[in-house]
Amino acid sequence: MKNRLIKLVLLVAASAGSASCLGDMDIIQKSKITTSNMWIDEGDAKGALYGMYHQFRATFQTAMIYWGDYRAGTFTNGAGGSGSADKMFNNALDSSETKGTNWGSSYTTINNANLILRHVPEIPFSDENLKNLILANAHFVRAYTYYNIARVWGDAPVILTPTESTGREIYPSRSPRAEVYAQVAQDIESALTHITSNAQGCYYATVDNINMLKADFALWMYAAQKGGDSYLTMAGEALDAVTRTPLLGKFADVFDVKNKANKEIAFALHVDATNEVHSASYIQRFIWGSTQVKASYRNVEGGVPVSSNQWFCYADEFIGELKRNKEQNNDQRSDVTYMERTGVSDMYEKVGWPNKFTGDWSSGTLLYDDDLILYRYAQYYMFRAELYYYRKQYKEALGELNVVAQRAYGKADFYTSATQQDVLEALAAENRWEFAEEGNLWFTYIRLGYIDTYCPLKYWPNTGVEGGVGGSTNPNIYLFPISTSAINKNSNLRQTEGWS
């Protein structure tokens, strides 16, 4: 018998806080939920919401870097890398690749949202605002997850009915990507009808982060899917509904684990390594092994964060960009994005690592305590700049872009040339330097039509011929294949066209 495509496993926490708020999302205990014992009162609904976010985090904490960064040309193998991600770095994927090609966890997240949307409307609530808030979050999470699925795989199953019976098996086929995007748009609007404020903060759906997703989606539909000017209108309306929030003065403060949920974070998936059991995210693959660093420099101030092994690191070309930017423009982002030390290892002359998310090692032991940041208000300004670029309002684009640049370089009006090409180059560069390691560069460069320009020369499958992404004959080179295991579980699935 074939395995089920979707398994119903929800991770639940006891309800915290009053009925009028969602409370702390720290998840400590796990349990399986059935229809008969779950959907009784609003406490059950809150537990299901926590479980949905736990699964949402589990889906993105490892894979988002594969989907949004590793193919964009900024990463390569680290000091202890074994070449396990070479197909990703070289854009030579095939269906045997397991990293980033299995969508099973994404559909488990969607199933959790579907369960909430199926059962919560039937539960009596003492506070209807709480019910609406829970429904808004379910629509938001489902929209975000389907949006990611469509960008990564294109055509994909659209499943809106939850799988609840442990004996039920479903074998959906792939729907056209247009149907997936239509569901994203519908869920975004449904989320907005259920929520009216930013009161719950960055760990849950708010008016601001739903509208940032809407703007992200609209810009993608306009630029990457050639959807027409109506999507520029949608993007503009969404961005006008987002609070124009000033950026923090210090770039480092955005990522400080002691400053989590700061005012620049619009949406993040919460992680608290001291109070919950969870697997570490993609961050741990950037951390050096303890045997590679002298004992006196391990997990101490001015030293090196250490764990087991550094599998991946920034590519030399990108490290060179960061160093030049620091030397020539005093870019305060450079040392936050990448740190390098000498004299700390008996094995290597230099020890360097991606530095935004290095956990908490103040106690001498590294805790992977970084939240997964999905939207920052810096993206709000970059989205506005991109919108003006598509509208050919290049001076206005520079005005938004320079908000981000001023924080980086300490200089107003850093960019002054308002030609189409110069604005494009500035948009591409600032996205690269501002959002490195945050899992979105690949998609941004596809939108901007810049992926062929920046992505280094790569070998293409079965050819041995070098050529950038634009040199491939694969009509879906910007997509990912689906894994062989997914196809083996479901005979109704077909591989993404162009992938083997």
Side-chain angles (χ1 to χ4, degrees):
M1 175 178 275
K2 295 185 178 180
N3 294 326
R4 292 187 300 279
L5 176 65
I6 299 176
K7 297 181 179 179
L8 175 59
V9 179
L10 293 177
L11 306 175
V12 185
S15 299
S18 68
S20 61
C21 67
L22 294 177
D24 192 352
M25 198 173 62
D26 295 346
I27 311 299
I28 300 174
Q29 301 204 354
K30 302 179 181 180
S31 65
K32 289 186 178 180
I33 299 172
T34 65
T35 302
S36 61
N37 69 12
M38 174 60 194
W39 308 103
I40 305 300
D41 57 35
E42 61 190 60
D44 297 330
K46 289 173 69 175
L49 181 70
Y50 300 146
M52 177 185 69
Y53 271 105
H54 193 289
Q55 176 60 40
F56 189 21
R57 184 181 63 200
T59 297
F60 282 84
Q61 66 183 4
T62 298
M64 65 182 285
I65 196 79
Y66 295 124
W67 297 325
D69 267 329
Y70 281 174
R71 293 181 67 187
T74 52
F75 279 89
T76 189
N77 288 299
S82 63
S84 63
D86 278 355
K87 288 181 180 179
M88 194 79 60
F89 300 140
N90 294 333
N91 274 295
L93 295 173
D94 58 42
S95 57
S96 67
E97 178 59 66
T98 59
K99 298 177 181 64
T101 62
N102 193 323
W103 59 23
S105 184
S106 293
Y107 278 100
T108 302
T109 301
I110 288 169
N111 195 61
N112 287 3
N114 287 343
L115 283 161
I116 291 171
L117 295 171
R118 164 66 178 84
H119 292 288
V120 167
E122 300 174 351
I123 295 175
F125 276 72
S126 60
D127 183 354
E128 285 297 309
N129 290 327
L130 176 58
K131 174 185 280 190
N132 285 330
L133 189 60
I134 291 173
L135 293 172
N137 276 271
H139 281 295
F140 177 54
V141 168
R142 190 168 72 178
Y144 191 101
T145 306
Y146 268 129
Y147 178 44
N148 188 70
I149 285 172
R151 290 185 302 174
V152 173
W153 290 285
D155 298 348
V158 176
I159 302 171
L160 305 180
T161 302
T163 301
E164 301 184 68
S165 170
T166 57
R168 181 186 174 197
E169 297 181 355
I170 60 173
Y171 302 104
S173 58
R174 298 176 79 165
S175 299
R177 74 186 72 181
E179 294 182 17
V180 187
Y181 286 128
Q183 185 58 47
V184 174
Q186 182 176 327
D187 273 325
I188 289 172
E189 294 306 319
S190 295
L192 287 170
T193 64
H194 284 96
I195 201 163
T196 59
S197 75
N198 297 318
Q200 289 298 325
C202 67
Y203 294 140
Y204 297 101
T206 66
V207 169
D208 276 7
N209 58 38
I210 297 171
N211 275 295
M212 287 186 72
L213 171 59
K214 184 176 180 178
D216 188 354
F217 168 75
L219 292 172
W220 176 266
M221 294 304 292
Y222 171 80
Q225 301 300 305
K226 312 302 180 188
D229 289 348
S230 64
Y231 284 107
L232 292 185
T233 301
M234 179 190 292
E237 292 171 350
L239 291 169
D240 286 344
V242 175
T243 307
R244 192 173 178 89
T245 302
L247 303 182
L248 299 185
K250 294 182 179 179
F251 190 66
D253 289 347
V254 178
F255 307 99
D256 187 342
V257 293
K258 296 179 176 60
N259 193 36
K260 293 162 68 164
N262 60 72
K263 69 176 184 178
E264 191 168 326
I265 308 303
F267 182 51
L269 300 178
H270 182 50
V271 175
D272 184 351
T274 61
N275 291 325
E276 60 177 309
V277 178
H278 71 97
S279 57
S281 70
Y282 64 83
I283 299 160
Q284 79 177 116
R285 295 184 177 272
F286 305 145
I287 305 300
W288 285 75
S290 59
T291 60
Q292 299 166 317
V293 176
K294 295 177 182 178
S296 59
Y297 291 98
R298 298 172 190 164
N299 292 334
V300 297
E301 186 176 354
V304 180
V306 298
S307 182
S308 58
N309 182 52
Q310 188 190 61
W311 292 97
F312 311 129
C313 191
Y314 289 129
D316 288 343
E317 297 93 332
F318 184 60
I319 293 172
E321 287 183 24
L322 295 173
K323 289 181 176 180
R324 286 191 299 274
N325 232 11
K326 179 183 178 182
E327 179 181 348
Q328 297 172 7
N329 299 310
N330 197 30
D331 188 348
Q332 65 164 296
R333 297 171 299 193
S334 297
D335 286 345
V336 179
T337 303
Y338 175 77
M339 180 56 67
E340 187 174 275
R341 302 208 186 282
T342 59
V344 298
S345 173
D346 292 324
M347 301 171 63
Y348 300 94
E349 179 182 354
K350 295 183 295 185
V351 169
W353 63 92
N355 194 44
K356 280 183 179 176
F357 307 107
T358 56
D360 183 357
W361 32 298
S362 59
S363 66
T365 300
L366 193 153
L367 296 174
Y368 294 104
D369 209 19
D370 299 276
D371 290 342
L372 297 181
I373 300 172
L374 299 185
Y375 284 121
R376 294 197 276 122
Y377 282 99
Q379 282 164 288
Y380 161 82
Y381 293 102
M382 297 300 285
F383 284 159
R384 291 196 73 92
E386 191 174 335
L387 173 62
Y388 283 128
Y389 170 76
Y390 296 139
R391 288 175 171 171
K392 305 186 188 306
Q393 295 174 265
Y394 301 127
K395 289 183 179 180
E396 289 80 0
L398 287 186
E400 302 292 343
L401 185 62
N402 277 327
V403 175
V404 176
Q406 182 169 355
R407 197 249 308 265
Y409 310 117
K411 178 182 178 182
D413 300 322
F414 183 83
Y415 291 101
T416 58
S417 176
T419 67
Q420 185 271 341
Q421 187 60 36
D422 284 349
V423 173
L424 174 60
E425 294 291 340
L427 276 169
E430 288 302 320
N431 271 286
R432 189 163 69 247
W433 299 330
E434 179 75 20
F435 301 111
E437 198 189 339
E438 296 182 50
N440 56 48
L441 186 62
W442 174 256
F443 303 120
T444 301
Y445 276 12
I446 291 173
R447 283 200 315 268
L448 291 173
Y450 201 81
I451 196 71
D452 299 341
T453 302
Y454 182 76
C455 193
L457 296 177
K458 301 297 178 186
Y459 290 96
W460 294 110
N462 306 318
T463 66
V465 176
E466 285 194 61
V469 173
S472 172
T473 58
N474 182 345
N476 288 311
I477 189 63
Y478 298 148
L479 300 178
F480 280 60
I482 57 174
S483 65
T484 300
S485 63
I487 295 175
N488 289 342
K489 290 176 182 178
N490 181 3
S491 60
N492 290 328
L493 292 178
R494 297 292 180 267
Q495 184 55 269
T496 307
E497 181 186 359
W499 294 101
S500 58

